Amino acid sequence: MNDTVIPPSELEGCPGGQPLQPLKRAAPGTRASALKVACSSCSLRELCLPVGLSRSDLERLDTLVSTRRSVARGDLLFRAGDAFQSLYAVRTGFFKTCVSSEDGRDQVTGFQMAGELLGLDGIGSERHNCNAVALEDSQLCVIPYDQLEALSREFGELQRQFHKIMSREIVRDHGVMLLLGSMRAEERLAAFLLNLAQRLQARGFSASSLVLRMTREEIGSYLGLKLETVSRTFSKFHDDGLLEVKQRDIHILDQEGLQRLVNSARC
């Protein structure tokens, strides 16, 4: 689950109708290696697709990732209904996925950060069923899915790792369902912050100091809470000494206290 807390005047939803940024490809005569994002040397390789692969297999996987894509803050990586062609590994930046309801409102379905994949939603139907929007200027590795499938058939370890990634997404979705179905507002927000801190810590960042990329409204959409409830709960956590909140910056003062809130929902 993947910032805080920014004034209501700065709240944003999913933009619509914005053109996608063109893929960046090597110019004629330019060595492909100059633009290639090599999985074998990527600092995020332990968090992304190539987890656990041997170096020789990583080098083979490098042949897939010959394209990078940059997406500016607020722009769409893909939209619901677009043909599915590739998976995207977030190299830098932060994204949200969202779907539009019948009444025109946007429902946030997830937040993705560096080392995580976007595009898995399109595998079954061969079309994306959500919008993916950059919450900050971001860069991704483009992984053509047909080539990934072909390479997976050649060596089983890549296929096993891909299955692990899909399983992780299923488990995450199951966790969100439990969160929305059984937890009170305080428990939902505590679980969200702890999960975000854990994911950031896995990337070498502080587990207690967070700079939120999403708005309170987006957090509320994801957690099934109204904006006012999210704001009130942040204020309560601040007053109770669990958090220090300064606009976009959140400092977790009592991680055990947040964990007790989450644990109480499981009793």
Side-chain angles (χ1 to χ4, degrees):
M1 288 185 294
N2 322 110
D3 257 54
T4 145
V5 203
I6 58 182
S9 61
E10 297 180 25
L11 297 177
E12 299 175 352
C14 292
Q18 297 190 31
L20 299 179
Q21 297 295 317
L23 299 180
K24 294 185 177 182
R25 301 187 182 278
T30 302
R31 288 177 56 86
S33 59
L35 292 179
K36 185 180 296 182
V37 181
C39 295
S40 55
S41 61
C42 180
S43 62
L44 296 172
R45 63 184 179 275
E46 294 304 320
L47 297 167
C48 194
L49 185 64
V51 175
L53 300 183
S54 68
R55 186 162 191 87
S56 61
D57 287 342
L58 284 173
E59 290 171 351
R60 297 179 69 187
L61 186 59
D62 285 348
T63 62
L64 284 181
V65 191
S66 59
T67 301
R68 281 182 289 185
R69 180 166 178 173
S70 297
V71 183
R73 180 180 181 272
D75 284 351
L76 286 155
L77 172 64
F78 53 78
R79 59 171 57 87
D82 285 351
F84 168 73
Q85 296 178 327
S86 301
L87 297 176
Y88 303 91
V90 184
R91 186 168 174 84
T92 61
F94 212 99
F95 283 81
K96 71 174 178 181
T97 50
C98 55
V99 296
S100 296
S101 59
E102 293 183 358
D103 60 5
R105 291 182 300 173
D106 294 315
Q107 171 66 51
V108 176
T109 58
F111 299 104
Q112 296 78 26
M113 62 179 68
E116 296 177 345
L117 289 180
L118 283 160
L120 292 168
D121 62 296
I123 293 176
S125 63
E126 298 186 347
R127 289 195 176 275
H128 293 289
N129 57 41
C130 65
N131 300 327
V133 185
L135 295 180
E136 62 181 358
D137 291 348
S138 303
Q139 189 177 79
L140 308 102
C141 305
V142 181
I143 307 171
Y145 187 68
D146 57 348
Q147 296 179 41
L148 176 64
E149 276 194 310
L151 193 57
S152 295
R153 288 192 289 268
E154 292 186 30
F155 57 99
E157 186 60 31
L158 175 59
Q159 189 174 62
R160 284 190 290 273
Q161 291 301 329
F162 186 62
H163 288 164
K164 287 181 180 179
I165 287 173
M166 296 187 72
S167 175
R168 183 177 65 197
E169 292 301 311
I170 292 171
V171 170
R172 180 181 297 175
D173 289 344
H174 181 64
V176 173
M177 290 172 60
L178 289 175
L179 181 133
L180 296 180
S182 62
M183 290 185 176
R184 298 180 294 109
E186 292 179 18
E187 296 158 352
R188 295 183 191 190
L189 186 57
F192 173 80
L193 292 172
L194 289 173
N195 177 271
L196 183 61
Q198 182 183 36
R199 290 159 66 192
L200 289 170
Q201 185 178 29
R203 288 150 182 78
F205 297 103
S206 170
S208 59
S209 296
L210 314 177
V211 179
L212 299 179
R213 305 293 188 246
M214 68 289 288
T215 67
R216 293 187 187 186
E217 186 176 50
E218 289 164 340
I219 293 173
S221 177
Y222 180 63
L223 297 179
L225 300 172
K226 294 182 178 179
L227 170 61
E228 295 79 7
T229 303
V230 175
S231 297
R232 185 169 58 249
T233 306
F234 266 117
S235 296
K236 186 177 188 305
F237 284 177
H238 181 90
D239 294 341
D240 290 347
L242 297 174
L243 304 177
E244 182 180 5
V245 181
K246 293 183 178 179
Q247 295 192 357
R248 298 183 65 89
D249 298 323
I250 290 190
H251 185 62
I252 298 177
L253 302 175
D254 186 357
Q255 189 165 2
E256 292 183 359
L258 291 176
Q259 189 63 58
R260 282 194 297 270
L261 280 173
V262 176
N263 293 342
S264 67
R266 300 170 180 168
C267 297

